[in-house]
Amino acid sequence: MALMMKSSASLKAVSSGRARRAVVVRAGKYDEELIKTAHTVASKGRGILAMDESNATCGKRLDSIGVENTEENRRAYRELLVTAPGLGQYISGAILFEETLYQSTKGGKKFVDVMKENNIVPGIKVDKGLVPLSNTNGESWCMGLDGLDKRCSEYYKAGARFAKWRSVVSIPHGPSIIAARDCAYGLARYAAIAQNAGLVPIVEPEVLLDGEHDIDRCLEVQEAIWAETFKYMADNKVMFEGILLKPAMVTPGADCKNKAGPAKVAEYTLKMLRRRVPPAVPGIMFLSGGQSELESTLNLNAMNQSPNPWHVSFSYARALQNTVLKTWQGKPENVNAAQAALIKRAKANSDAQQGKYDASTDGKEAAQGMYEKGYVY
Amino acid sequence: MQAKMQAPRSTVSGRAATRSRVATTKVVCRALNSMESAHVEELKKTAAYISQKGKGILASDESNATTGKRLESVGVENTEDNRRAWRELLYTAPGLGQYISGAIMFEETLYQKARDGRQFVDILQAQGIYPGIKVDTGLQILPGGKGETTTQGLDGLADRVKAYRKQGARFAKWRAVVKIGEAGCPSTTAVLENAHGLARYAQICQEHGLVPIVEPEVTLGPGDYSIEETAFWSERVYSHVMRLLNEYGVVLEGILLKPNMCLPGLDAPVASPKLVAEVTTRTMMRSIPPAVPGIHFLSGGMSEEESTLNLQALNEACPEAPWALTFSYGRALQSSTLKTWAGKQSNWDAAQDILLKLAKANSQASTGSFKGPHPVPGGGRILQALRTGGAGK
């Protein structure tokens, strides 16, 4: 249950007066709209469909079902997703890749228009990908700040209303202080730029699943990363009522001998959130990061067994699309069944967001693990 | 975050000699929660008890010098026995524990007794009130000529905390003051210095078994600065306090926060309770993670009535707040009480009665159920000058 401010967060510029230095209290052009968009995306029983795979990554998905990686095939696949009937009941926002933002259905209707008609807010991936960070032990940093303000304005014109930027943090490789700092810095600067262009920034410092570490170590690192991220966002005057978070859940590493069930994941994750996330943030949309469809839903469900100060929900890619892809196989005659699979997963996660998911309704397919060691997104 | 240097890795031979070695520094977050600490569970329980719904803190930790000023204002001499008698009046008010969950004491008071020989700490505990202890040793002026201050008291703090705990204290308090409204204030130095003091104090307290009340007071002072300006600086200050608490591994479930409400400067028009509530709530929502169990506002110069009405409005504005929105009031509970007593035994019961009425009003306000009338309506602001150089006296 998200805490709503009863009044607007509009702030006025304060004149300097006397010898006091001018205090620029934020008077952002888009403040009201950002808050409204964030609350729309973070609405009860709904979450985000992440479908912003780059062309190369999308190619991997298509490849796995024997479909060629062409623009038309990518378009057809994304059409399948956004036109699934009734999707807007469970999905409040969908993150697109740049190419997709400008694509249309076979019938010529722009994807963003299809989405808007179905109450789904269009979002856009704005980062330019990960590259190696010098003087670290194989860690990465995320590019994308150059020209970001212009790109964001263009995306806003094309109909996007939220943005997404994914930085990563590796536990086996550190994380070093410089990697943590750059991760937080990049996210904070991106968030400030996005807000000034009218896009709600999704803030995603993904602490990767890779590693043999236990859940306590994951908690430690996540607490440090989120402290750093909020620190830089505060310094960059990001308005917390107009952002969304996309954290990884707090779990043991993929190769850790001690596994953790949903109750433990929920306990640790909520502890981390309560320690690091001010209630002004309207929504926390978890990434699935390699968890199976079933695991992602069970964990989310466990986190929603009692009220939280923010909307706790999902922003899933693989955990929503895995079965869909396998059902589709690139064949037009399978589209309806594939869409039904998407709705089924979306509804399951909608139920989980409300803490009322019933696992007995799910089959074996959903339990298939999707963790890939050293996964390159 | 504490950096732990790893041994540098040797590189491939050949041109290795000219290549610099890469030393990786791990982010090692040695949070108290990941260490074996005897006190962590107790700290969380104590903090939860003090911040329970419907209760707040009685701040009665005025130094001897400040207490003296108060006593003298009602014609009572500043002697140890008079200070003792005044505190006895407060702590023996019958049923005080219905509204008060903690009482902050000055060091002298922690070791004092009632006339019948009972220790104050025992009297309080019998009332269901946790004894707390002021551990800072006062404000010092920071260089820079702006009259900004830092708070001292870290030297020997660990030993003092242990001794206070032995005597029965279960929580502590340290007041940091940040001045706004004048040219150049607050400086970055003042903000960082005060945040640092609070974080180190909190860390030491938790290590030795006292729940730290973290008090970053953006002080109500002269000037016509707006409520938005107070909010702006409050957010900056709290942001720095929180980040340093995180870096020093302070367990947030085991602290209490004692912030200022957001008010305009003394020379600006008084803000309505509704506006104070709106701006203060927004500031807290942006700055304070839900793990902190209680936000106990200081009264800081607000009149007794203002303190109650503002607290009521806060709870109306934010009924689902993840932390308790309650009080830690000094002047707002004691001012009329003291005036009623005026040092006379014949006024003892009447004074205790006023205290209980004020405590009840604020207890109601902390659950959004204060309907009035206020026991002491129409009072003016109760201001006191910033005292520096006290060195704990």
Side-chain angles (χ1 to χ4, degrees):
Chain A
M1 155 193 83
L3 278 174
M4 293 282 291
M5 283 304 299
K6 287 193 176 183
S7 50
S8 76
S10 67
L11 299 163
K12 301 164 282 251
V14 172
S15 67
S16 51
R18 302 201 312 184
R20 214 163 61 237
R21 67 170 179 262
V23 169
V24 178
V25 181
R26 267 191 64 112
K29 177 175 158 195
Y30 292 102
D31 283 0
E32 295 297 328
E33 189 186 333
L34 290 169
I35 296 172
K36 191 154 173 279
T37 302
H39 281 280
T40 302
V41 173
S43 50
K44 186 173 163 169
R46 302 207 294 166
I48 294 175
L49 167 59
M51 42 183 284
D52 58 313
E53 296 83 0
S54 63
N55 292 345
T57 304
C58 192
K60 274 197 218 159
R61 306 267 185 272
L62 297 175
D63 204 59
S64 74
I65 53 167
V67 174
E68 203 191 339
N69 185 15
T70 64
E71 189 186 334
E72 172 50 31
N73 283 342
R74 293 192 294 272
R75 192 209 60 74
Y77 176 52
R78 268 68 182 262
E79 176 171 346
L80 185 161
L81 296 175
V82 305
T83 59
L87 189 63
Q89 202 184 339
Y90 312 115
I91 299 296
S92 54
I95 321 177
L96 308 176
F97 183 63
E98 188 184 67
E99 176 189 82
T100 321
L101 185 67
Y102 295 99
Q103 284 179 329
S104 309
T105 64
K106 214 49 192 184
K109 189 165 203 177
K110 293 205 94 62
F111 282 161
V112 293
D113 292 333
V114 173
M115 288 166 66
K116 280 183 191 150
E117 274 169 27
N118 287 290
N119 249 334
I120 302 173
V121 182
I124 176 73
K125 185 224 299 284
V126 304
D127 70 72
K128 293 234 166 256
L130 301 167
V131 283
L133 181 57
S134 316
N135 298 334
T136 65
N137 186 23
E139 295 170 286
S140 331
W141 67 286
C142 187
M143 305 188 297
L145 292 178
D146 295 354
L148 181 61
D149 54 348
K150 288 185 184 49
R151 288 208 308 284
C152 284
S153 299
E154 288 306 309
Y155 294 148
Y156 183 93
K157 282 198 200 110
R161 288 295 176 272
F162 71 94
K164 171 241 177 166
W165 168 296
R166 173 183 177 258
S167 291
V168 301
V169 170
S170 163
I171 298 182
H173 291 173
S176 66
I177 284 183
I178 52 179
R181 198 155 281 164
D182 199 271
C183 169
Y185 169 83
L187 283 166
R189 294 267 286 111
Y190 136 78
I193 291 170
Q195 286 194 329
N196 278 284
L199 303 180
V200 170
I202 296 188
V203 177
E204 180 179 0
E206 174 172 357
V207 176
L208 296 166
L209 192 56
D210 301 50
E212 296 173 347
H213 54 273
D214 62 18
I215 197 170
D216 285 300
R217 177 68 182 141
C218 182
L219 177 66
E220 224 174 45
V221 172
Q222 289 241 33
E223 283 184 9
I225 294 300
W226 279 108
E228 195 75 354
T229 304
F230 272 100
K231 186 161 113 175
Y232 278 87
M233 287 201 290
D235 285 343
N236 279 279
K237 306 205 176 71
V238 172
M239 181 182 64
F240 294 158
E241 290 90 347
I243 67 173
L244 295 164
L245 305 187
K246 183 163 169 169
M249 297 183 193
V250 180
T251 65
D255 297 317
C256 179
K257 290 177 186 53
N258 303 324
K259 300 294 171 205
K264 192 156 191 197
V265 170
E267 180 201 329
Y268 272 71
T269 306
L270 289 175
K271 184 185 289 192
M272 183 275 288
L273 294 175
R274 291 183 65 84
R275 286 176 173 174
R276 292 296 180 264
V277 185
V281 176
I284 301 177
M285 325 294 287
F286 282 97
L287 58 93
S288 48
Q291 294 179 39
S292 71
E293 287 178 336
L294 182 62
E295 233 179 320
S296 320
T297 306
L298 285 172
N299 287 337
L300 181 64
N301 188 54
M303 283 191 257
N304 280 293
Q305 293 306 305
S306 44
N308 292 306
W310 345 253
H311 178 80
V312 173
S313 184
F314 58 94
S315 173
Y316 291 166
R318 286 171 276 176
L320 281 169
Q321 298 181 46
N322 191 40
T323 306
V324 175
L325 271 165
K326 295 210 167 89
T327 309
W328 180 46
Q329 295 294 321
K331 302 190 168 75
E333 62 268 29
N334 292 340
V335 167
N336 287 346
Q339 289 183 325
L342 175 61
I343 296 295
K344 180 167 191 213
R345 270 296 12 104
K347 178 176 194 302
N349 287 304
S350 162
D351 287 345
Q353 196 290 308
Q354 301 170 78
K356 54 182 192 179
Y357 167 67
D358 178 3
S360 63
T361 58
D362 266 323
K364 268 191 358 209
E365 188 68 56
Q368 185 201 43
M370 283 177 293
Y371 167 68
E372 260 176 61
K373 194 162 184 163
Y375 175 69
V376 174
Y377 183 64
Chain B
M1 289 177 277
Q2 296 168 32
K4 194 167 90 176
M5 294 295 291
Q6 256 188 354
R9 292 178 186 200
S10 53
T11 50
V12 175
S13 61
R15 294 172 65 194
T18 56
R19 250 190 246 157
S20 56
R21 289 188 177 159
V22 175
T24 53
T25 48
K26 271 196 141 80
V27 166
V28 177
C29 186
R30 281 276 159 246
L32 209 61
N33 56 293
S34 63
M35 282 177 5
E36 288 306 304
S37 170
H39 297 298
V40 168
E41 289 314 310
E42 186 196 306
L43 292 171
K44 292 181 188 177
K45 284 201 185 90
T46 304
Y49 179 90
I50 296 174
S51 59
Q52 66 180 277
K53 210 104 179 89
K55 296 199 185 177
I57 294 172
L58 166 61
S60 55
D61 58 311
E62 298 83 5
S63 64
N64 292 345
T66 303
T67 309
K69 291 215 181 91
R70 304 277 166 79
L71 293 174
E72 274 147 25
S73 77
V74 293
V76 176
E77 202 191 337
N78 184 16
T79 65
E80 188 187 335
D81 195 57
N82 283 342
R83 293 193 293 271
R84 192 208 56 72
W86 164 231
R87 268 64 182 262
E88 179 174 340
L89 187 155
L90 297 175
Y91 303 150
T92 58
L96 187 65
Q98 291 170 84
Y99 317 116
I100 301 294
S101 51
I104 322 178
M105 306 161 95
F106 183 63
E107 187 183 71
E108 176 190 83
T109 322
L110 187 68
Y111 293 93
Q112 283 179 329
K113 303 181 167 92
R115 272 167 301 196
D116 63 8
R118 287 180 301 159
Q119 296 260 3
F120 279 163
V121 291
D122 295 331
I123 291 173
L124 287 169
Q125 275 157 0
Q127 291 251 45
I129 301 175
Y130 271 114
I133 175 71
K134 185 226 298 284
V135 303
D136 72 72
T137 55
L139 306 176
Q140 287 293 309
I141 299 281
L142 278 171
K146 297 194 217 61
E148 293 182 293
T149 60
T150 178
T151 300
Q152 44 178 19
L154 291 178
D155 294 351
L157 180 59
D159 288 338
R160 284 187 294 123
V161 167
K162 283 188 241 178
Y164 295 149
R165 184 183 155 86
K166 194 152 176 247
Q167 175 61 9
R170 284 297 174 272
F171 70 97
K173 169 239 176 172
W174 168 295
R175 175 175 178 247
V177 175
V178 175
K179 200 165 88 148
I180 67 173
E182 271 180 43
C185 292
S187 62
T188 308
T189 306
V191 174
L192 292 178
E193 172 64 23
N194 280 289
H196 172 267
L198 280 167
R200 289 280 284 121
Y201 138 82
Q203 183 196 41
I204 291 170
C205 281
Q206 288 197 330
E207 195 176 343
H208 298 290
L210 296 185
V211 170
I213 295 185
V214 174
E215 180 177 356
E217 175 177 353
V218 174
T219 197
L220 174 62
D224 62 355
Y225 55 89
S226 69
I227 194 173
E228 288 292 352
E229 207 169 331
T230 304
F232 176 85
W233 289 117
S234 298
E235 278 179 43
R236 300 270 90 68
V237 169
Y238 303 154
S239 173
H240 282 279
V241 171
M242 292 313 307
R243 64 184 75 175
L244 282 177
L245 290 176
N246 293 340
E247 289 192 14
Y248 284 116
V250 174
V251 179
L252 297 182
E253 294 89 346
I255 72 168
L256 297 165
L257 191 75
K258 180 165 170 169
N260 51 288
M261 294 190 196
C262 292
L263 303 173
L266 285 170
D267 300 313
V270 176
S272 68
K274 190 154 176 283
L275 181 61
V276 170
E278 179 189 316
V279 178
T280 304
T281 313
R282 186 189 71 207
T283 303
M284 295 301 129
M285 295 270 282
R286 287 177 173 179
S287 312
I288 312 303
V292 175
I295 299 184
H296 297 249
F297 290 97
L298 55 94
S299 49
M302 292 187 285
S303 73
E304 285 156 330
E305 188 179 20
E306 209 184 342
S307 307
T308 304
L309 294 181
N310 285 346
L311 184 61
Q312 166 68 18
L314 270 161
N315 279 282
E316 279 173 19
C318 204
E320 311 273 353
W323 354 252
L325 288 171
T326 177
F327 60 94
S328 173
Y329 287 167
R331 286 166 270 176
L333 285 169
Q334 296 181 51
S335 191
S336 295
T337 310
L338 180 63
K339 287 194 186 116
T340 306
W341 178 50
K344 298 190 174 67
Q345 186 55 38
S346 52
N347 295 338
W348 187 270
D349 291 351
Q352 288 190 324
D353 191 57
I354 287 283
L355 172 64
L356 289 167
K357 288 200 163 88
L358 288 166
K360 183 176 182 183
N362 288 304
S363 155
Q364 289 172 337
S366 77
T367 60
S369 54
F370 174 74
K371 291 181 177 47
H374 194 266
V376 186
R381 292 266 174 85
I382 319 164
L383 303 170
Q384 73 182 12
L386 219 55
R387 212 173 62 84
T388 59
K393 294 196 182 67

